[in-house]
Amino acid sequence: MFKKRDNIKEVEEGKCLAPKFDNNGLIPVITTDFQTGGILMHGYMNNEALKKTIENREAYYWSRSRNKIWHKGQVSGFVQKVREIRIDDDQDSIWLSVDIGNGASCHVGYKSCFYRSIPLGKIKDTKELEMKFIEKKKIFDPKIIYKNEPNPTKL
Amino acid sequence: MFKKRDNIKEVEEGKCLAPKFDNNGLIPVITTDFQTGGILMHGYMNNEALKKTIENREAYYWSRSRNKIWHKGQVSGFVQKVREIRIDDDQDSIWLSVDIGNGASCHVGYKSCFYRSIPLGKIKDTKELEMKFIEKKKIFDPKIIYKNEPNPTKL
């Protein structure tokens, strides 16, 4: 769908969008809150999701757990309005800067999916690494918002 | 090496680090500049790189192009000092906040790998999408810094 990648110099230094999708047809996406700059989530897009995101200025992803295109906010109402899209040097990852107002991005109920911090320094036992909660209060109750939707988290 | 993932509630709401590595043994990593909050790069770690990063407080990745552990800055000198590590809800992606001083993070010479922005709105031709350079000046000359190192970008 997008331009063929046939020249490394062009991919790195050129102006033409030529994204690289992996063997599953996906490209990783980092989504940040344009107001705070904080990271909200890490997801994936296929070429159709990327095209829809560019054209509709709202974030579309590929849900690996549901195996389908996912218009973020369709169920929860927490739509992500896209303010900027960037791509990296070798064009194999995307950065979306989005507006979610006072909403949330994480299906567990927190604003950001990255609500826990890993302690730094010498590890005594890798199986017992205790993290710290950075976000302490959920923005919404997933049981109310998602009702009977299956949990996307897989073991 | 890390805790076994045997309970979704614990993975999402618990304090114990139980990262999910994909079929290639890798977990995606987003790296931001702790001073500006901007995204520097998107990479991958295997379990050894994650352990080294936690213990040494410097960023280690898995280089997919070189197929080996990669201590960022080993060649360029642009070491990333880790200020914080977070993990997301289902523990399948990592956020590193790092100090690179006045250095750079991108092998092309820019500070961030995300130096180009994709235009938003109706697409006329997906094969001719012209991006805009957000960073206009390189911080270093890759030819001088990397000399004969092979370019990690693949088509």
Side-chain angles (χ1 to χ4, degrees):
Chain A
M1 181 191 279
F2 295 99
K3 189 176 183 296
K4 195 162 165 264
R5 295 161 61 88
D6 44 24
N7 177 315
I8 286 178
K9 176 97 181 159
E10 263 182 35
V11 165
E12 287 183 344
E13 311 260 10
K15 288 189 168 176
C16 198
L17 179 66
K20 183 174 189 167
F21 297 92
D22 67 14
N23 293 339
N24 299 313
L26 302 180
I27 189 167
V29 180
I30 305 157
T31 306
T32 61
D33 181 333
F34 98 102
Q35 282 177 309
T36 66
I39 297 179
L40 294 171
M41 56 178 280
H42 180 281
Y44 294 86
M45 287 178 181
N46 64 354
N47 58 7
E48 190 191 341
L50 178 55
K51 184 166 182 275
K52 276 180 180 289
T53 300
I54 294 170
E55 293 205 312
N56 300 335
R57 298 169 195 250
E58 290 188 355
Y60 289 76
Y61 299 92
W62 178 261
S63 167
R64 295 177 307 162
S65 55
R66 285 165 293 201
N67 217 33
K68 63 175 187 183
I69 287 260
W70 161 36
H71 181 197
K72 176 78 180 166
Q74 213 168 12
V75 174
S76 66
F78 299 130
V79 167
Q80 297 178 338
K81 291 186 181 155
V82 176
R83 293 304 191 101
E84 191 180 19
I85 311 180
R86 293 204 202 175
I87 198 158
D88 73 341
D89 43 19
D90 54 353
Q91 301 202 33
D92 70 353
S93 57
I94 299 275
W95 170 10
L96 282 191
S97 176
V98 302
D99 183 354
I100 56 165
N102 294 318
S105 191
C106 169
H107 75 279
V108 177
Y110 294 103
K111 178 169 183 177
S112 162
C113 295
F114 293 86
Y115 48 85
R116 287 169 298 185
S117 162
I118 301 170
L120 296 172
K122 194 72 193 161
I123 300 172
K124 277 186 201 153
D125 180 357
T126 44
K127 290 190 172 52
E128 293 287 345
L129 256 172
E130 189 172 306
M131 300 186 286
K132 196 174 130 193
F133 275 72
I134 301 296
E135 283 191 45
K136 287 179 180 147
K137 210 172 166 308
K138 292 191 182 182
I139 300 216
F140 68 91
D141 181 345
K143 280 184 205 136
I144 294 170
I145 297 286
Y146 292 114
K147 296 182 184 80
N148 298 321
E149 291 281 320
N151 187 331
T153 295
K154 306 287 174 214
L155 287 177
Chain B
M1 179 191 282
F2 295 98
K3 188 176 184 295
K4 198 165 162 261
R5 296 161 61 88
D6 44 23
N7 177 314
I8 286 178
K9 175 97 181 160
E10 263 182 35
V11 165
E12 288 183 343
E13 310 261 9
K15 287 189 169 178
C16 198
L17 179 66
K20 182 172 190 169
F21 297 92
D22 67 14
N23 293 338
N24 299 312
L26 302 180
I27 189 168
V29 181
I30 305 157
T31 307
T32 60
D33 180 333
F34 98 103
Q35 282 177 309
T36 66
I39 297 179
L40 295 171
M41 56 179 279
H42 180 281
Y44 294 87
M45 288 179 180
N46 65 354
N47 58 7
E48 190 191 341
L50 177 56
K51 183 165 184 276
K52 277 180 180 288
T53 300
I54 293 170
E55 293 204 311
N56 300 334
R57 297 168 196 252
E58 290 187 355
Y60 290 76
Y61 300 92
W62 179 261
S63 167
R64 294 177 307 162
S65 55
R66 285 164 294 202
N67 217 32
K68 64 175 186 183
I69 287 262
W70 161 37
H71 181 197
K72 176 77 182 168
Q74 214 168 13
V75 174
S76 66
F78 298 131
V79 167
Q80 298 177 338
K81 292 186 181 154
V82 177
R83 293 303 190 100
E84 190 180 20
I85 312 181
R86 294 204 202 175
I87 198 158
D88 73 341
D89 42 21
D90 54 352
Q91 301 203 32
D92 70 353
S93 58
I94 299 276
W95 171 9
L96 282 189
S97 175
V98 303
D99 183 355
I100 57 165
N102 295 317
S105 191
C106 170
H107 76 279
V108 177
Y110 294 102
K111 177 170 185 177
S112 162
C113 295
F114 294 85
Y115 47 84
R116 287 169 297 185
S117 162
I118 301 171
L120 295 172
K122 195 71 193 160
I123 300 172
K124 276 186 203 155
D125 180 357
T126 45
K127 291 189 169 56
E128 292 287 345
L129 257 172
E130 190 173 305
M131 300 186 286
K132 197 175 131 190
F133 275 73
I134 302 295
E135 283 191 45
K136 289 180 177 146
K137 210 171 167 308
K138 293 191 183 183
I139 299 212
F140 68 91
D141 180 345
K143 280 184 204 134
I144 294 170
I145 297 287
Y146 292 114
K147 294 183 184 81
N148 298 321
E149 291 281 320
N151 187 332
T153 295
K154 305 289 173 213
L155 286 178

